[in-house]
Structure formats: C-alpha cells, structure tokens
C-alpha cells in the first residue's frame, strides 16, 4: 500500500476520519509526538497498530478524546480529583489511568483493566477527534524501540507502506510523550511516566504526588512495573548511547580519553563554542531539550554515529522527562564522573 500524505484542511481531516471508521490506521500530529491512530473500540484496527509498530501485546495504548467529559463513556470510575486535574491540564499533555469499562477492548489496554485517557491540545488532532467522534488509540508512531516521531517525515520514514495515511501538522511542540499518572487513592497520584506536565505543576492541584521509581531505574527481570512501557528498551537509535554526568571540563576530558572513529557527542547549546570534538547540540534548557531530543537521536543515526556520549540533562522539572527517555535510549548506561 502507498501511504497517503494528507494536509490538515477540514476536507483532509474528514478523509482521515473516514479511514479510521473503516478500521484502518493513520499517523496524526499531537502536541507531544506523532501518534499512530486507530479506533480504540475496534479490536482489528488496534491489532494493526500493534503489528505496524512491532509493539509487545502487553504495552497498553492511550485513548484520546476530544473532551474529558467523554471519559465517562469508557471508564467505570472517575475520582473527583481527576476532574480537578482535567480542569487545569486538559486539553494538554496529561494522561490519566482510570478503571476501564467494556467499551475499551482488552487488546487496547494491553490486558489491563485500566485505560489511559488523554485530551490532546493540538488543533489538528483535536479537530480530528471531533470529526471522527471516536475514542482514538494512538501510541507514538515509531517502530517499537526506536525514537518517537516529532514530524510527519519521521512517521513516513518508519511507517511508509504500512499505514493508510499520515496527516502533516508540522513539528510537535513539546517533543516528548505525555505525563502519565495513576491514582494511588482518591486524593493521591503517582507519575508513571514524566512529561511536560511536571510534578511541580501537578502539586498545584494535588498535594500528594509520588514519582514512580521505575522512571529512573531499570526494571528487574520478570517484574511488572505500574507503567508497562517502562520495562522495554525504548527510544533507542542504532548508535550506542552513553550518558555522562559531570561538569563540561570533566566531559571533555572523558571524551578525549575515549575518542575515535564513529564517536559523537550530544551537548548543550551553551557548550558548543570551541568544543573540540564531533558534536550535535540538543538545546539550551530542559524545554528545548524535550523538543529536540528525539529528532537529534534520529539525526545521529543519519550521520552514521556509532557511539554517542551525551551530556546528562537536568532531572528537574521537564528535565526529568528528557532524562527518562535518554536513560532508556542508553539502555541505562550512565557514567558519573
Ligand atoms: P505510547 O503510546 O508510546 O506513548 O506509550 C504509552 C505508555 O503509557 C505505555 O507504554 C504505558 O507505559 C503507559 N500506559 C498507557 N496505558 C496505561 C495503563 N492503563 N496503565 C499504566 N500505564 C499505561
Ligand atoms: Mg512510544
């Protein structure tokens, strides 16, 4: 099949919605990364998403809705706190894990009795959800294990010939996937995956916010984390990624001792002046680093990098999301100087 590249006009979004109603799948922009969209209530359509991505069957898909008020149709219980969070953060990059009802098939939830619900703010995705009227399952539109796509071109490269169409809505603004939270009780939440809605932002609404230990630590063999996606090697380019913690001087010294053919570095914009080794930069602060991290990982493959030393991002605020993606891209290889 030849993958159709669609723009984001009303007529093209109508075509995209029709494709979903027919049980087929498409790439679609969101404010976090590009998603691979299917009708979340259609088991066969959802199976096509798992197949196109090569995604393990126990890794659940997030269900996207045009408005949080629709969540009652797909869940069996919504705590009051969820409505408060929705008032502040929906639409936006927040996913809330809630008990699902029978309208969401087990294949969509990766066999769990819960479902992640998100209301995206991207105008193209939002309009698409309104036109289709469907609950839309949409994991990141990359081949499983590789960096997430933040442009229609990235999706085309991973999915050309495997899916019906890609809607082009420009570059994704945030660049890392949504913050995923679950409810430990009616009044306390747990961050299962960090994103651009930070712990500090969540604390403004809920005084009890736990960061799940799986965010920065490897999962032991056979253990099932609260967020199944956390157990897989993820976000990873072909190059071998190694995170280096330390000052710029220590970083330079380490690279100097370990330099050679195929070795590249990924550094802050502010490190670049006079930097003596092959490098790409990935922004000057955490928000920029979130925006650029996946496209830079893809670019490193394009230029033939074999080994990449990365100056560790901050773990504060949005930095935690960047660190969480990089440490998985690195297969947990961190060198502290
Ligand atoms: P992606 O669709 O690629 O952004 O990945 C979605 C991630 O959200 C999964 O890998 C899980 O880690 C998390 N997630 C989605 N649904 C649930 C759920 N019902 N319970 C826990 N985590 C979830
Ligand atoms: Mg993903």
């Amino acid at each position: 099949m030849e993958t159709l590249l669609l723009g984001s006009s009303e007529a093209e979004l109508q075509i995209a919605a029709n494709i979903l109603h027919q049980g087929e799948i498409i790439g679609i922009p969101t404010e976090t990364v590009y998603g691979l969209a299917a009708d979340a209530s259609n088991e066969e359509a959802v199976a096509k998403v798992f197949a196109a991505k090569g995604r393990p069957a126990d890794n659940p898909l997030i269900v996207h809705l045009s408005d949080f008020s629709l969540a009652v149709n797909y869940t069996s219980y919504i705590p009051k706190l969820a409505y408060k969070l929705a008032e502040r953060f929906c639409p936006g990059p927040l996913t809330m894990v809630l008990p699902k009802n029978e309208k969401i098939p087990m294949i969509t939830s990766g066999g769990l009795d819960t479902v992640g619900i998100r209301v995206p703010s991207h105008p193209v995705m939002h309009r698409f959800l309104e036109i289709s009227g469907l609950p839309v399952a949409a994991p990141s539109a990359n081949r499983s294990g590789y960096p997430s796509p933040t442009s229609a071109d990235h999706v085309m490269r991973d999915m050309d010939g495997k899916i019906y169409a890609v809607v082009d809505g420009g570059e994704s603004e945030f660049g890392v996937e949504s913050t995923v939270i679950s409810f430990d009780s009616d009044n306390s939440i747990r961050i299962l995956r960090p994103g651009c809605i930070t712990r500090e932002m969540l604390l403004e609404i809920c005084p009890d916010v736990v960061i799940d230990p799986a965010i920065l630590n490897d999962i032991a063999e056979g253990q099932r984390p609260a967020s199944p996606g956390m157990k897989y090697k993820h976000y990873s380019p072909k190059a071998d990624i190694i995170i280096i913690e330390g000052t710029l001087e220590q970083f330079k010294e380490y690279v100097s001792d370990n330099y050679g053919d195929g070795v590249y570095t990924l550094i802050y914009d502010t490190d670049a002046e006079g930097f003596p080794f092959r490098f790409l930069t990935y922004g000057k602060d955490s928000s920029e680093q979130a925006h650029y991290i996946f496209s830079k990982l893809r670019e490193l493959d394009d230029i033939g990098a074999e080994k990449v030393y990365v100056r560790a991002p901050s773990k504060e605020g949005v930095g935690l999301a960047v660190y969480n993606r990089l440490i998985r891209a690195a297969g947990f290889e961190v060198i502290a100087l």
Side-chain angles (χ1 to χ4, degrees):
M1 127 188 20
E2 197 180 329
T3 301
L4 196 65
L5 187 62
L6 294 171
S8 56
S9 69
E10 190 74 8
E12 286 162 299
L13 293 183
Q14 186 67 60
I15 293 171
N18 290 345
I19 296 173
L20 243 69
H21 276 283
Q22 278 158 27
E24 295 298 337
I25 64 176
I26 62 164
I28 188 112
T30 86
E31 72 277 20
T32 58
V33 302
Y34 271 66
L36 192 57
D39 173 356
S41 62
N42 179 335
E43 293 184 32
E44 280 158 35
V46 170
K48 290 176 188 170
V49 168
F50 279 93
K53 280 181 63 74
R55 183 170 173 112
D58 65 353
N59 197 357
L61 307 186
I62 291 169
V63 173
H64 298 73
L65 302 172
S66 60
D67 196 280
F68 192 75
S69 63
L70 299 171
V72 288
N73 299 332
Y74 307 103
T75 56
S76 60
Y77 175 68
I78 303 179
K80 280 207 185 80
L81 176 59
Y83 284 104
K84 273 208 217 162
L85 290 163
E87 212 171 286
R88 171 81 165 75
F89 298 115
C90 298
L94 180 69
T95 297
M96 295 190 236
V97 173
L98 296 164
K100 75 172 194 71
N101 73 14
E102 72 293 341
K103 292 219 182 83
I104 300 297
M106 277 295 179
I107 183 172
T108 304
S109 66
L112 299 175
D113 52 15
T114 54
V115 60
I117 299 283
R118 180 163 111 76
V119 180
S121 65
H122 195 294
V124 173
M125 177 60 157
H126 185 255
R127 186 66 191 134
F128 171 74
L129 289 166
E130 280 182 340
I131 293 175
S132 74
L134 294 171
V136 171
S140 51
N142 52 294
R143 291 276 307 158
S144 205
Y146 288 95
S148 300
T150 53
S151 70
D153 177 56
H154 292 164
V155 179
M156 271 296 188
R157 289 217 214 168
D158 281 18
M159 295 293 162
D160 193 14
K162 293 200 182 83
I163 62 178
Y164 249 69
V166 178
V167 175
D168 189 349
E171 255 181 49
S172 293
E173 178 192 347
F174 291 117
V176 290
E177 302 84 345
S178 60
T179 303
V180 179
I181 61 164
S182 64
F183 293 82
D184 280 355
S185 74
D186 276 3
N187 299 306
S188 62
I189 59 179
R190 172 178 298 263
I191 301 179
L192 303 182
R193 178 176 73 182
C196 286
I197 308 259
T198 63
R199 174 163 193 266
E200 295 70 32
M201 291 162 76
L202 292 164
L203 280 170
E204 288 170 24
I205 307 293
C206 173
D208 197 358
V209 182
V210 174
I211 292 189
D212 197 84
I215 283 175
L216 289 179
N217 299 295
D218 204 355
I219 305 293
E221 190 84 32
Q223 224 180 313
R224 194 180 166 96
S227 176
M230 288 291 156
K231 76 171 172 242
Y232 296 107
K233 178 159 172 143
H234 228 124
Y235 315 120
S236 202
K238 290 181 208 102
D240 187 14
I241 305 289
I242 299 147
I243 299 177
I244 308 286
E245 307 228 32
T247 64
L248 178 58
E249 284 318 307
Q250 289 171 318
F251 183 82
K252 282 183 187 163
E253 206 179 303
Y254 185 86
V255 174
S256 172
D257 291 345
N258 293 276
Y259 205 52
D261 286 350
V263 175
Y264 279 76
T265 61
L266 186 61
I267 58 177
Y268 300 176
D269 287 11
T270 45
D271 301 336
E273 209 185 302
F275 192 78
F277 308 104
R278 283 182 290 272
F279 70 90
L280 294 183
T281 62
Y282 73 121
K284 64 175 183 318
D285 57 34
S286 296
S287 291
E288 283 191 8
Q289 290 172 353
H291 179 87
Y292 286 114
I293 185 62
F294 288 132
S295 61
K296 293 298 174 172
L297 291 176
R298 284 173 179 262
E299 201 179 325
L300 284 161
D301 274 349
D302 292 344
I303 60 181
E306 284 162 23
K307 187 175 266 200
V308 182
Y309 296 111
V310 183
R311 265 207 88 197
S314 151
K315 291 177 197 157
E316 301 298 316
V318 177
L320 185 65
V322 181
Y323 204 108
N324 167 266
R325 306 313 191 271
L326 263 172
I327 202 172
R328 280 169 175 75
F332 293 91
E333 204 174 343
V334 182
I335 294 169
L337 300 176

